[in-house]
Amino acid sequence: LIYGEFSNTPADNKLAIGLNSVTAGRVLDVHNGAYLSTGGVWTNASSRELKQDIQSLSSEDAQQTLAALSPVRYAYKNSPDEEYVGFIAEDVPALVASNDRKSLSPMDVVAVLTQVTKEQESQLTAQESQLAEKDVEVAMLQDELSVQDSKLSEQDTMLSAQDERITQLELALTELLRERDNNLRVSSLN
């Protein structure tokens, strides 16, 4: 079933596929819920009501798929003057390829990117937590090092005082030995 409202004014043209009317604000309505707005934005049908066998996308599958995607620059054969960037349907991993491998849905690639980004965010959060723990450990070690530096400084001060005391004792001993030698000389002369 195809329904249409056609006008000489292009903006007033509307088309429905599999429906008997076009919703206000839309140019193209499709029976599965997808539509093209009057602003030119394509919206995919994504309701849970339309889906079955729903499963979470594993981080491993998403990462492997992302690693296998090879973005390219290209022009369509029917529009050689306009350059695009994207993917070649025959070259993308099966997870994001259509069954005939002639097209792909950007939302499939977005789902892969979303899962990889979430996994990376989780890894970053874990690494930030580990860094915070390491920062605490480093701070504790710095405090301990500061205490040890203070003790070493105290010991250096004590050693300096002892060195000074030893120097004074050595000087006093040298003076005593001189006096004794002088006394011995004087008594041997007598």
Side-chain angles (χ1 to χ4, degrees):
L1 172 69
I2 295 179
Y3 168 83
E5 296 175 13
F6 303 102
S7 166
N8 289 333
T9 308
D12 292 337
N13 289 325
K14 297 180 178 187
L15 180 65
I17 301 172
L19 301 169
N20 59 8
S21 67
V22 178
T23 306
R26 298 180 183 175
V27 176
L28 175 62
D29 246 339
V30 182
H31 68 91
N32 64 5
Y35 64 89
L36 178 65
S37 72
T38 54
V41 177
W42 180 257
T43 302
N44 292 325
S46 191
S47 173
R48 181 178 298 279
E49 294 171 4
L50 302 172
K51 300 175 181 181
Q52 64 183 27
D53 302 328
I54 299 169
Q55 301 172 25
S56 294
L57 175 60
S58 76
S59 294
E60 183 179 327
D61 286 345
Q63 288 172 351
Q64 288 174 354
T65 300
L66 181 60
L69 287 173
S70 297
V72 295
R73 299 171 87 134
Y74 61 90
Y76 284 103
K77 291 178 180 177
N78 65 357
S79 181
D81 295 336
E82 199 165 344
E83 188 176 272
Y84 297 89
V85 294
F87 305 99
I88 305 300
E90 293 87 350
D91 299 339
V92 299
L95 185 63
V96 294
S98 62
N99 288 343
D100 65 2
R101 303 213 42 107
K102 297 293 181 192
S103 61
L104 56 98
S105 167
M107 286 308 295
D108 292 348
V109 176
V110 169
V112 166
L113 293 173
T114 300
Q115 186 62 27
V116 170
T117 301
K118 287 171 62 177
E119 179 64 24
Q120 288 175 344
E121 183 65 29
S122 175
Q123 290 172 354
L124 282 174
T125 299
Q127 288 173 346
E128 286 171 355
S129 176
Q130 290 172 345
L131 282 174
E133 290 173 12
K134 295 295 182 194
D135 285 346
V136 169
E137 288 178 30
V138 166
M140 288 172 49
L141 289 171
Q142 286 174 332
D143 288 347
E144 188 177 321
L145 184 60
S146 179
V147 168
Q148 295 301 325
D149 282 346
S150 292
K151 288 181 181 179
L152 283 174
S153 181
E154 288 174 20
Q155 289 177 352
D156 281 346
T157 302
M158 289 173 49
L159 283 174
S160 291
Q162 287 177 351
D163 281 347
E164 181 62 31
R165 181 70 180 138
I166 289 171
T167 300
Q168 290 173 357
L169 288 173
E170 286 174 343
L171 289 173
L173 182 58
T174 302
E175 187 59 33
L176 283 174
L177 289 174
R178 247 190 242 136
E179 282 181 27
R180 187 194 69 170
D181 286 346
N182 284 340
N183 286 341
L184 284 175
R185 273 190 222 130
V186 168
S187 59
S188 66
L189 288 174
N190 292 337

